[in-house]
């Protein structure tokens, strides 16, 4: 059974940090590009970051560049999203997703239609 399980969300004050984890099982993790998305109430799901496989190219939304860092540990089948300098507008449910890697992985990294599997999400709330 394919599973993507997010953890690490919570309530933090503006300027604080959180590290989200996305633990994968049920598929060959090394063969998949992993993306992080977020969805705030009343808004569409938006791409936050992506790390490709196997070459580890990194992509970030403009709104999080310089504050968020994505990384992966293939030995642990886990992708991390380190979030620093958090802002109230970062408040959302954060969801990870997996896309079967191919040569053009990353070119449309923020397109939700590119992804094969999705987790359930973890809530991040940033207070002002």
């Amino acid at each position: 059974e394919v599973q993507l399980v997010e953890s690490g969300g919570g309530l933090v004050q503006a300027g604080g940090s959180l590290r989200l984890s996305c633990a994968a099982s049920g598929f060959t993790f090394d063969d998949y590009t992993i993306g992080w998305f977020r969805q705030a109430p009343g808004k569409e799901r938006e791409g936050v970051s992506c790390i490709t496989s196997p070459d580890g190219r990194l992509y970030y939304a403009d709104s999080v560049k310089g504050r968020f860092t994505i990384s992966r540990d293939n030995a642990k089948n886990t992708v991390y999203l380190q979030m620093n300098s958090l802002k109230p507008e970062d408040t959302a449910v954060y969801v990870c997703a997996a896309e079967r890697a191919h040569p053009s992985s990353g070119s449309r990294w923020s397109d939700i239609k590119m992804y094969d599997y999705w987790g359930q999400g973890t809530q991040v709330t940033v207070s002002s």
Side-chain angles (χ1 to χ4, degrees):
E1 178 189 5
V2 171
Q3 281 193 316
L4 292 169
V5 180
E6 302 91 343
S7 61
L11 173 64
V12 65
Q13 287 188 330
S17 298
L18 286 172
R19 187 176 82 154
L20 305 184
S21 299
C22 170
S25 61
F27 61 95
T28 305
F29 184 73
D30 296 12
D31 291 344
Y32 281 75
T33 286
I34 305 295
W36 280 100
F37 292 77
R38 66 186 181 187
Q39 188 163 18
K43 294 188 176 181
E44 292 188 353
R45 186 167 291 188
E46 64 171 350
V48 175
S49 185
C50 167
I51 183 166
T52 64
S53 182
D55 52 358
R57 282 172 286 129
L58 308 180
Y59 297 87
Y60 296 96
D62 288 343
S63 58
V64 307
K65 280 181 183 175
R67 300 187 298 122
F68 291 11
T69 303
I70 191 170
S71 61
R72 67 189 294 160
D73 185 339
N74 286 349
K76 295 182 178 180
N77 286 5
T78 300
V79 168
Y80 304 98
L81 185 68
Q82 178 66 44
M83 307 187 297
N84 299 328
S85 301
L86 283 161
K87 304 175 181 180
E89 51 264 43
D90 294 318
T91 295
V93 174
Y94 284 70
V95 184
C96 63
E99 174 202 8
R100 179 90 181 187
H102 52 82
S104 60
S105 284
S107 61
R108 293 171 59 190
W109 72 270
S110 61
D111 185 347
I112 63 174
K113 297 187 296 295
M114 302 300 294
Y115 292 84
D116 303 301
Y117 307 123
W118 291 84
Q120 294 298 309
T122 185
Q123 175 71 46
V124 171
T125 303
V126 184
S127 63
S128 58

